[in-house]
Amino acid sequence: MTDIIHLLPDNIANQIAAGEVIQRPASAVKELLENAVDAGATEIQLILKDAGKELVQVIDNGSGMSETDARLCFERHATSKIRSIEDLFSIRTMGFRGEALASIAAVAQVELKTRRAEDAVGTYIEIENSAVRKQEPVQWQTGTSISMKNLFFNVPARRNFLKSNAAEMRHVVDEFIRVAMSFPQLQFTLTHNGAQLFYLEKGSLKQRIVSILGQHYNSKLVAVKEMTDYMNVYGFVGKPDAAKKTRGDQFFFVNNRFIRSPYLHHAVMTAYAEMLPSDSYPLYVLFIEVNPEHVDINVHPTKQEIKFDDEKVLYAFIQATIKHSLAQFNVSPTLDFDLDPGIQQLTAVTQPFTRQQQEASTGGSLYKTFSQANQAHRIEKNDSNLRHWKDLYEIAAPRPDGTEFPGMPSMPSAPAPTGPAAIDASWQEQHKAPMQVHQHYILSHIKSGFFLIDQHAAHERILYERYLRSLQDKAMPTQQSLFPHTLDLAPADAALINALLPDLQHLGYDLEPFGQNTFVVRGTPADIQSGNEQASIEGLLEQFKHSSAELKLDRREQLVRSMARNNAIPVGKVLNVREMQNLIDELFACVTPNVSPSGRATFVSFKLNELDKMFEKGAQ
């Protein structure tokens, strides 16, 4: 018998191994950006075409590479950061296993240009399917440029599993934001199909957070900082009023590396336990500095899941730190601006205010104009008009026992029904009308019992089917705003709106781009209350991002579900009888009236015979 086990060719083995590291364009973006940071760059450019499917290029002004290093860096497990196994537990850089460039070269066409400051010329290398096609000298600036073209060109099956450009672009932006957030002292730019989406100047961490997540966070950030011999925790958390109903603005960094940790996230949530509803998520950007000996970052190919040698200590420390910071933010707020140096040199600041100057000021007419006797709000003690205010209050205030107000005329009471038949008819009419329970449920009478309807879930189902029909048939009517509203968004949200713009317009939103990250809202769907345009669109974006993360649906389905959930009648809204009846009629006219788009029951029925059993009437 012949032997059946054999070694795989290097190019096939590399393609299989690359699947652990490079899963989509965003994976390559992460690895290339981290390599640029490790190279000591201060300015990093990310250039994309077709959400990275056609091109991912990273240009940096870092240290560059020699000709030998440029050739060797594409070999698997080639690294400059590990010499022995002990080095693995003292790593503070981002990339260290030597897998990134080798994985990229296995599944894409790669071009490298690099030069060190001490070299007269640089090195140019072309690699395709892990094989070097060309190597020659090139004139290049100090630093490195790596271009990854036609991702998965040699693995068509994997390329077919890539999502739409909008979906892949969201993943790319997420990775870009995580690296840019980690290093606010570096300049980052992101250009997609010739349009610049991000231009992040060097600055403080707070400036970086605001420039990425939006200016509306500028006054809603609370500084967090605690230093100990074991670990340091610093960064910012959001005030409770900045919390959102969906996740997205939560960032943990350990030694400047973005991580995911449900355990530490729970520590943050418990710190907010008495300040937020259970379905709200606060903003936080927290950096944890700890000795690498206490952390294992090599447990996952993407290095986003790590292990601590003592998670309980870290949990308690983060929880206590955030509680302390939140307790202080409204007690001793700080002014967040730099004083103009010119102001500090004025004589009013540098010279004391002498007694002679005080007397001269208080004797002037300007001072007397603003003295107590001349203030507009001053009320003299003997003001006769308000002398008997207490008596007036006692006349208007109700008595504790609920009797008539003294001094107030009594209202005529309604005439009582004249007979038993009139009383019975009135009660029957009231009994058949729908009734709202705790501004959450609607109780509707039927012949065999009654329905209990969840008003939010029911309206969500109604809107979902309405929006779905509008996408399939004709566009929804738009309610034009009397005064167009300008909407400023974070760069990531602006990119998402641009991708969704055609479908949003078909669903009744009249939006137009108005400069970078700004849109003009000229109209909204007719069923959205006027004056609520900004909240409607921002809520829609949050719901869309949440549904994209939780469910694998196509873009239109996600958009329709997000709009339905965002615009549905909220819990706590008071409805009159006509509104409740219309809701019931529209619900049971739906194709699938019994469940919401998210799978929750819209109503529960109670039959009379079931009620009889509950009250044990059958036993009598």
Side-chain angles (χ1 to χ4, degrees), residues 319-354:
Q319 183 186 39
T321 300
I322 294 176
K323 279 188 174 182
H324 179 260
S325 298
L326 291 173
Q328 296 297 318
F329 85 85
N330 58 355
V331 176
S332 56
T334 58
L335 297 177
D336 187 35
F337 62 84
D338 294 327
L339 189 61
D340 187 347
I343 296 177
Q344 298 179 357
Q345 304 302 321
L346 295 176
T347 57
V349 177
T350 59
Q351 296 181 7
F353 194 41
T354 65

Side-chain angles (χ1 to χ4, degrees), residues 72-73 75-83 91 93 95-99:
L72 192 59
C73 71
E75 297 295 328
R76 186 161 297 281
H77 304 306
T79 178
S80 62
K81 300 160 186 172
I82 298 177
R83 302 293 183 194
I91 290 293
T93 55
F96 57 87
R97 293 184 305 211
E99 291 183 290

Side-chain angles (χ1 to χ4, degrees), residues 355-393:
R355 181 176 295 276
Q356 291 80 4
Q357 290 173 324
Q358 292 180 26
E359 292 175 354
S361 298
T362 56
S365 59
L366 183 62
Y367 175 84
K368 292 181 179 179
T369 302
F370 288 95
S371 64
Q372 188 177 19
N374 292 288
Q375 289 177 8
H377 63 269
R378 176 174 175 79
I379 300 175
E380 296 293 341
K381 292 183 179 179
N382 59 353
D383 190 342
S384 58
N385 293 331
L386 297 179
R387 187 176 302 168
H388 303 293
W389 66 269
K390 187 175 181 180
D391 297 338
L392 181 64
Y393 173 79

Side-chain angles (χ1 to χ4, degrees), residues 557-582:
E557 176 72 12
Q558 289 174 3
L559 180 59
V560 168
R561 288 190 179 204
S562 302
M563 280 190 62
R565 174 172 288 189
N566 185 60
N567 296 333
I569 296 171
V571 173
K573 181 176 175 60
V574 178
L575 304 176
N576 59 37
V577 173
R578 178 174 295 180
E579 290 172 333
M580 287 187 281
Q581 191 61 57
N582 288 341

Side-chain angles (χ1 to χ4, degrees), residues 137-193:
V138 69
Q139 187 62 42
W140 189 248
Q141 62 198 19
T142 301
T144 302
S145 167
I146 298 182
S147 300
M148 182 193 76
K149 300 179 179 179
N150 302 319
L151 180 63
F152 300 138
F153 78 100
N154 53 352
V155 195
R158 292 187 61 190
R159 188 175 179 89
N160 292 336
F161 277 93
L162 294 178
K163 304 299 183 183
S164 66
N165 282 4
E168 294 297 339
M169 194 61 196
R170 287 200 303 276
H171 289 288
V172 169
V173 169
D174 286 343
E175 295 294 352
F176 176 84
I177 286 175
R178 290 163 186 167
V179 177
M181 197 84 81
S182 303
F183 301 95
Q185 73 275 17
L186 307 183
Q187 176 183 301
F188 289 86
T189 59
L190 169 56
T191 304
H192 182 227
N193 291 339

Side-chain angles (χ1 to χ4, degrees), residues 35 65-79 98-103 105 112 114 125 127 144 146:
N35 282 350
M65 290 182 282
S66 67
E67 182 180 359
T68 303
D69 288 344
R71 179 67 177 264
L72 192 59
C73 71
F74 290 101
E75 297 295 328
R76 186 161 297 281
H77 304 306
T79 178
E99 291 183 290
L101 294 181
S103 298
L112 168 69
T114 185
I125 295 178
I127 294 184
T144 302
I146 298 182

Side-chain angles (χ1 to χ4, degrees), residues 29-49:
V29 166
K30 172 184 180 294
E31 300 291 349
L32 295 178
L33 289 177
E34 289 181 351
N35 282 350
V37 171
D38 287 343
T42 59
E43 297 177 3
I44 301 174
Q45 303 175 51
L46 173 60
I47 301 170
L48 304 169
K49 288 184 180 178

Side-chain angles (χ1 to χ4, degrees), residues 113-126:
K113 296 177 183 178
T114 185
R115 183 176 74 86
R116 297 182 302 180
E118 60 268 28
D119 295 333
V121 294
T123 303
Y124 173 78
I125 295 178
E126 279 186 18

